[in-house]
């Protein structure tokens, strides 16, 4: 039994897992495959969904604006589900999704009918990532179909635009946003297609293929159309990057069926690209414009004049997270694309997150995080890093600072994050680092950057030690560093070097006598240790943290 107040249930469009819904729940219901997602209660079919939030049943549900909650860990059979749904409604949600877990749908409908929000039951075998992807695509398409509430009434539907573009270019056309999500596609009737196009349309996103990263890097740098030749069973493609000013906002993909019409198709795509850009911009919901405005203010606050930027942030304390390249930035996918990837993941677990790119670093400011939230923040950053690492060609390090209690603290937190990211890049370390907990690493990097270990500043004893190793192939520097790292514990040092304890004692006696290293001098001992660690790190030897 399905309880649907006010309006009858609308069956999904045949032949497609996703139709062309509005942003209203009624539109989402048209898009749902009932074998995967089944609505059981819909109090208000006209309610709009503005954001999708992945929620853990063991943690407090974050507040949202017209949110759809994916209640991970909850099930339709939970006796406390009705209370959880009441709480969700109070926190700004209009709908929730739970796994079925063997529950009878009529019983579920009776139990949650009074909750006041729409309840959708998901098939147990369908993963939450797939559910989120389906609903995100449906919500995105709903915004497109709804059109710009402020825009011109003559703006055509984006699908109609794709059909018109396909007729003009005489090719099957797909319009994507910068994250690879399909926004619209032309009617493929009468056109030669391949498996990649079919999979892209059915999945509503670009398939994860090895060559994708290189192709999107090329597109990010191109001002005009780019041709990708046919290979294996894939037809030739002509792609036109779509920009608003200097900002990349999407792509137009067209199939060159013969492989000989690329130049003609490219000219047609270039002519209509400005019109597509207009429609893509109009398809962005108003809150995206607000987010962009706030992101610009965040970028100003993070900058050198942050304290004077007039940046208002009323959800303190917050956490500032930075993602920076571990190697040459040419090996990282388009910055705007990466920013969107980080933003979507961060907002899924922490609604209200702001992201901004400053220099080569992408910063995220997560609201309502206090000192006790460090463990949670570590899980969020680790999750985001796993998502990023799954993208070919991306090598990114992560550092964060929490809590940031005032706007004046943001530039200082940014400086510490930048320093930590330089250390992570030096060691190609992908483990997220807390600049408060690991402040010793920040200080060590600052000391390293002060040229404390350059040849002209080495203390004579260290310089003589390194010269002896170079001239005689000895292991004095490595031996002394292991000894100091072990606080003079011979057993630990010998184990670290994989030598006998007596051998370690002999080496230490020989070098201290021959080179005049007085380990009883605390200042000399400290500087010797620091310079040896930095020279070992520069030479690529594992020095640890």
């Amino acid at each position: 039994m399905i309880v649907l107040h006010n309006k009858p249930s609308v069956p999904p469009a045949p032949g497609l897992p996703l139709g062309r819904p509005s942003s209203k729940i009624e539109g989402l219901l048209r898009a749902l495959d009932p074998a995967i997602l089944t609505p059981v209660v819909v109090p208000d079919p006209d309610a709009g969904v503005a954001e999708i939030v992945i929620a853990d049943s063991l943690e407090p549900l974050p507040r949202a604006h017209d949110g759809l909650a994916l209640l991970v860990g909850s099930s339709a059979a939970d006796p406390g589900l009705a209370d959880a749904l009441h709480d969700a409604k109070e926190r700004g949600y209009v709908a929730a999704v739970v796994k079925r877990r063997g529950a009878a749908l009529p019983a579920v409908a009776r139990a949650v009918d009074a909750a006041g929000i729409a309840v959708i039951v998901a098939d147990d075998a369908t993963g939450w990532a797939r559910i989120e992807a389906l609903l995100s695509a449906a919500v995105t398409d709903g915004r497109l179909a709804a059109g710009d509430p402020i825009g011109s009434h003559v703006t055509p539907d984006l699908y109609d635009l794709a059909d018109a573009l396909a007729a003009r270019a005489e090719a099957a056309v797909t319009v994507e946003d910068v994250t690879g999500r399909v926004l619209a596609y032309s009617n493929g009737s009468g056109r030669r297609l391949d498996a990649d196009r079919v999979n892209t349309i059915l999945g509503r996103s670009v398939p994860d293929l090895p060559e994708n990263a290189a192709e999107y890097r090329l597109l990010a740098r191109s001002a005009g159309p780019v041709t990708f030749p046919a290979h294996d069973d894939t037809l030739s493609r002509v792609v036109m990057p779509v920009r608003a000013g200097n900002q990349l906002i999407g792509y137009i993909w067209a199939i060159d069926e013969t492989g000989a019409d690329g130049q003609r198709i490219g000219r047609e795509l270039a002519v209509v690209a400005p019109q597509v850009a207009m429609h893509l911009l109009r398809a962005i919901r108003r809150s995206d414009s607000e987010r962009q405005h706030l992101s610009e203010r965040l970028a100003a606050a993070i900058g050198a004049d942050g304290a004077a930027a007039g940046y208002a942030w009323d959800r303190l304390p917050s956490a500032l997270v930075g993602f920076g390249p571990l190697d040459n930035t040419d090996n990282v996918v388009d910055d705007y694309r990466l920013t969107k990837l980080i933003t979507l993941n961060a907002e899924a677990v922490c609604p209200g997150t702001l992201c901004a790119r400053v220099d080569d670093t992408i910063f995220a400011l997560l609201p309502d995080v206090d000192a006790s939230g460090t463990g949670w923040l570590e899980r969020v950053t680790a999750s985001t890093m796993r998502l990023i690492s799954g993208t070919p060609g991306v090598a990114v390090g992560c550092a964060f600072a929490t809590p940031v209690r005032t706007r004046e603290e943001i530039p200082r937190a940014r400086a510490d994050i930048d320093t930590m990211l330089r250390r992570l890049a030096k060691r190609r370390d992908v483990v997220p680092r807390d600049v408060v907990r690991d402040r010793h690493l920040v200080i060590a990097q600052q000391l390293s950057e002060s040229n404390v270990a350059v040849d002209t500043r080495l203390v004579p004893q260290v310089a003589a030690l390194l010269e002896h190793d170079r001239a005689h192939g000895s292991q004095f520097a490595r031996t002394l560093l292991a000894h100091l790292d072990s606080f003079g514990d011979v057993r630990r040092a010998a184990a670290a070097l994989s030598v006998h304890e007596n051998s370690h004692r002999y080496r230490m006696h020989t070098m201290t006598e021959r080179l005049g290293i007085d380990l009883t001098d605390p200042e000399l001992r400290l500087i010797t240790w620091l310079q040896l660690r930095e020279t070992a790190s520069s030479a690529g030897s594992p020095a640890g943290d």
Side-chain angles (χ1 to χ4, degrees), residues 40-118:
V40 295
V41 173
V42 184
D44 182 8
D46 290 328
V49 174
E51 58 181 317
I52 296 176
V53 177
I54 301 174
D56 189 327
S57 62
L58 299 180
E59 297 180 357
L61 188 65
R63 294 193 175 276
H65 173 68
D66 290 341
L68 188 156
L70 305 185
L71 300 180
V72 179
S74 297
S75 79
D78 289 345
L81 180 59
D83 292 337
L85 295 173
H86 278 295
D87 179 61
K89 180 176 174 59
E90 292 296 320
R91 291 176 176 270
Y93 292 85
V94 296
V97 179
V98 296
K99 287 295 185 76
R100 183 168 182 169
R101 307 301 184 204
L105 296 186
V108 175
R110 289 192 296 270
V112 302
D113 187 25
I117 69 174

Side-chain angles (χ1 to χ4, degrees), residues 90-442:
E90 292 296 320
R91 291 176 176 270
Y93 292 85
V94 296
V97 179
V98 296
K99 287 295 185 76
R100 183 168 182 169
R101 307 301 184 204
L105 296 186
V108 175
R110 289 192 296 270
V112 302
D113 187 25
I117 69 174
V119 180
I120 301 169
V121 174
D123 173 58
D124 294 344
T126 304
W128 283 109
R130 176 62 174 163
I131 292 170
E132 191 276 336
L134 288 171
L135 289 170
S136 293
V139 170
T140 298
D141 283 351
R143 293 174 189 141
L144 295 176
D148 178 15
I150 311 177
S152 169
H153 67 280
V154 300
T155 300
D157 178 85
L158 200 57
Y159 281 86
D160 294 336
L161 178 61
D163 285 335
L165 179 53
R168 175 170 183 152
E170 298 181 10
V173 168
T174 304
V175 180
E176 298 176 8
D177 67 10
V178 290
T179 67
R181 177 172 295 166
V182 174
L183 302 180
Y185 52 89
S186 62
N187 188 329
S189 177
R191 301 289 181 195
R192 185 183 171 198
L193 307 178
D194 55 23
D196 280 358
R197 174 171 169 90
V198 174
N199 292 333
T200 297
I201 291 174
L202 292 179
R204 285 305 177 94
S205 63
V206 177
D208 188 11
L209 301 174
E211 63 270 18
N212 283 359
E215 290 180 352
Y216 279 110
R217 283 199 298 272
L218 178 58
L219 291 173
R221 301 186 182 99
S222 300
V226 178
T227 299
F228 297 111
H231 62 89
D232 299 329
D233 296 327
T234 301
L235 298 173
S236 176
R237 275 0 184 227
V238 181
V239 190
M240 179 67 201
V242 179
R243 287 183 165 81
N246 292 325
Q247 179 175 299
L248 182 66
I249 60 174
Y251 313 93
I252 311 169
W253 289 73
I255 293 181
D256 179 6
E257 299 177 25
T258 66
D261 293 333
Q263 289 188 350
R264 179 187 60 79
I265 294 174
R267 287 194 298 269
E268 297 294 344
L269 298 185
V271 169
V272 299
Q275 184 182 6
V276 174
M278 177 186 68
H279 292 299
L280 289 183
L281 289 174
R282 287 180 176 178
I284 298 174
R285 59 191 175 105
R286 189 180 302 179
S287 62
D288 280 344
S289 299
E290 295 171 357
R291 179 190 292 119
Q292 178 65 28
H293 174 65
L294 289 173
S295 293
E296 291 171 356
R297 297 184 68 184
L298 172 61
I302 291 174
D305 298 328
Y311 177 75
W313 186 251
D314 58 359
R315 299 177 68 181
L316 295 169
S318 297
L320 185 65
V321 185
F323 299 87
L326 290 183
D327 54 12
N328 190 311
T329 54
D330 287 342
N331 290 329
V332 180
V333 293
D334 177 67
D335 291 323
Y336 183 76
R337 185 176 170 85
L338 185 58
T339 302
K340 292 291 288 184
L341 187 68
I342 292 171
T343 301
L344 290 172
N345 188 70
E347 285 189 342
V349 294
C350 190
T353 295
L354 295 181
C355 288
R357 179 179 178 272
V358 180
D359 298 329
D360 290 330
T361 303
I362 297 170
F363 289 95
L365 190 66
L366 284 65
D368 298 332
V369 176
D370 56 23
S372 64
T374 301
W376 171 83
L377 187 59
E378 288 177 343
R379 294 193 296 273
V380 172
T381 54
S383 171
T384 305
M385 288 296 288
R386 284 193 297 271
L387 177 69
I388 294 172
S389 64
T391 303
V394 178
V396 174
C398 174
F400 60 89
T402 186
V404 178
R405 295 186 175 88
T406 66
R407 75 179 187 188
E408 288 77 16
E409 293 182 16
I410 294 178
R412 294 197 293 270
R414 180 262 173 103
D416 286 343
I417 289 173
D418 281 344
T419 302
M420 182 67 83
L421 288 174
R422 290 194 297 273
R423 183 177 184 86
L424 298 179
K426 186 177 180 181
R427 289 161 173 76
R428 294 192 60 79
D429 186 355
V430 297
V431 177
R433 293 288 187 176
D434 181 348
V435 298
V436 176
R437 181 193 61 201
D438 298 328
R439 183 163 297 281
H440 62 290
L441 300 183
V442 175

Side-chain angles (χ1 to χ4, degrees), residues 525-543:
R525 188 169 64 241
L526 172 63
I527 299 303
T528 297
W529 173 81
L530 178 62
Q531 291 188 335
L532 286 176
R533 283 186 65 85
E534 287 306 314
T535 53
S537 174
S538 299
S541 302

